[in-house]
Amino acid sequence: MILGATAAAGASYVSARNAILEGIQDQTMLKLRDQIVAYLPTVSLPPTQATLDAFSSALKPSGALVVYRDLHSTSGMAPQDVPGSLREAVANSTNIQFQRVVVQGFPMFFVGIPVQTASGRTSGLEVYAMAPLGQQQAAIEELTRTAWQTAALALPFAVAVALLAARQVLRPVRALNTAADQLGRGRLDVRLRVKGSDELAQLVTTFNNTAAELERTVGTLRAMEADARRFVADVSHELRTPLAAMNAVTDVLDEDAGQLPADTAVAARLVSAETKRLTRLVQDLIEISRFDAGRAELRREELDVAAAVTDSLTARGWEPGSGDSENSKNATVVADLPAGITAALDRRRLDIVVANLVGNALRHGAPPVEVVLRADAGAVVLTVTDHGPGIPDEVLPRIFDRFAKADTSRARSEGSGLGLSIARENARLHGGDIVAANTGTGARFELRLPREVRSGFGEMR
């Protein structure tokens, strides 16, 4: 708005200034030209000094300068009073030339006319005249002051009108921005009231339609997701009873496999292995369904973390060797578990995390698997490092996704594909996390768990 007012004032100034100056310029040039045309028939060429003086005296305003080669009139202006650039322009042209200059602080208007004969030939005569522009300059300055005063008076009113108009336009835009922000935060029921029928009203209508369609689609997806989770949980629970019976049968088959024919023994062991694998998958699915439903229970107790990790490794036959032991080079798992590090943790869930991380390192990496425990800034940190091929770069960002596979060419694997996902869910249930990275000589998983409980023991999630 300020720029508009400034531009309007500037445009008014330029227009008025040009009008005033053009008026005096045109008047002076036309009057001088008419006088030259009227007097020229009395001039004989080449002129004498007396002829030039008489020519100059006949011209109005008085003081005009008439020049013919090296001669010039002696009354009025002297040749050195005329700007040199103007004289050069007149000498090289057949048209009227003019120039505005400031002489001793006063604005002056100079005009120069190359005189031609009646036949249109150059006579060699040059006539120069000047006119003061003091009055015109004063009028221009007064006009400038008036223009700026008018702009200054009109500016507050124009600003007020502009702000009012902008407010009317920006208010619905701000409301639309707020509604879009709420929609992005998950408030899918947000809607705006449509006012008018302009482009902004059409935009609001489009927003409302989009929000309604998004709410419908998300609601459908949530219902489908809930149905899928409920289906998995129901199926998993239904499978527990027949699997328990199948495990009892396969245990008997395993015991009697040595007394069965060779082919039958192989089939029995295969059925037993697949039944155990199916049992682990069902157990993992049940655990995942608890996390999804928000029913995962956390029972904390004050633990010696090193002892709990050692118990978890020993229970699975991964007898840990010491890092400085003579037999550490041949050990499958090498542990550095300093005693005295305690934390309030759920023993069962810590066991699940350790079993999944170390088991994953043994299955997909190469021994020795290093298990290192340390305390760090209010947290316990357990790192599990293997010496295998590492995790492919394209798999690393989604290594904790459910059913993620490091080797996509393998349709089946020994695990369920849910182990790392369950491990991370258990870590986050404690308020911690697990991160995975490559070391260049293998893969490393770092488990970080807080040592103290913020909201008390035995909380339920």
Side-chain angles (χ1 to χ4, degrees), residues 88-219:
E88 182 179 355
V90 171
N92 297 319
S93 175
T94 59
N95 298 320
I96 300 177
Q97 304 294 324
F98 67 90
Q99 189 173 357
R100 291 191 297 269
V101 297
V102 177
V103 179
Q104 298 180 354
F106 296 96
M108 304 293 292
F109 172 72
F110 286 86
V111 59
I113 300 178
V115 180
Q116 295 179 326
T117 63
S119 61
R121 298 174 59 187
T122 302
S123 67
L125 290 169
E126 298 174 1
V127 179
Y128 298 93
M130 69 175 180
L133 298 177
Q135 294 181 353
Q136 289 74 18
Q137 183 66 30
I140 291 173
E141 291 177 354
E142 180 63 26
L143 185 63
T144 302
R145 285 192 296 270
T146 303
W148 283 113
Q149 290 172 357
T150 302
L153 293 175
L155 183 60
F157 176 75
V159 170
V161 172
L163 290 177
L164 181 61
R167 184 178 180 183
Q168 295 298 323
V169 174
L170 293 179
R171 183 185 299 169
V173 173
R174 292 194 187 100
L176 187 61
N177 180 67
T178 301
D181 181 69
Q182 293 176 346
L183 187 65
R185 295 175 182 272
R187 281 198 54 189
L188 302 182
D189 59 341
V190 63
R191 299 292 186 274
L192 293 173
R193 189 173 63 177
V194 180
K195 296 180 180 180
S197 58
D198 55 5
E199 289 79 2
L200 194 57
Q202 295 175 6
L203 179 60
V204 172
T205 301
T206 302
F207 173 84
N208 288 339
N209 294 337
T210 302
E213 182 63 20
L214 182 62
E215 182 179 22
R216 186 192 66 78
T217 302
V218 171

Side-chain angles (χ1 to χ4, degrees), residues 287-304:
E287 188 72 10
I288 284 290
S289 67
R290 290 196 184 108
F291 283 114
D292 289 342
R295 295 197 303 268
E297 184 178 355
L298 189 66
R299 293 188 173 91
R300 294 182 185 266
E301 57 181 300
E302 195 71 19
L303 295 180
D304 184 323

Side-chain angles (χ1 to χ4, degrees), residues 244-258:
M246 292 173 63
N247 277 306
V249 173
T250 55
D251 288 341
V252 175
L253 291 176
D254 284 338
E255 293 178 0
D256 297 339

Side-chain angles (χ1 to χ4, degrees), residues 35-44 55 118:
Q35 291 177 4
I36 292 172
V37 171
Y39 191 81
L40 186 60
T42 65
V43 178
S44 58
F55 198 170

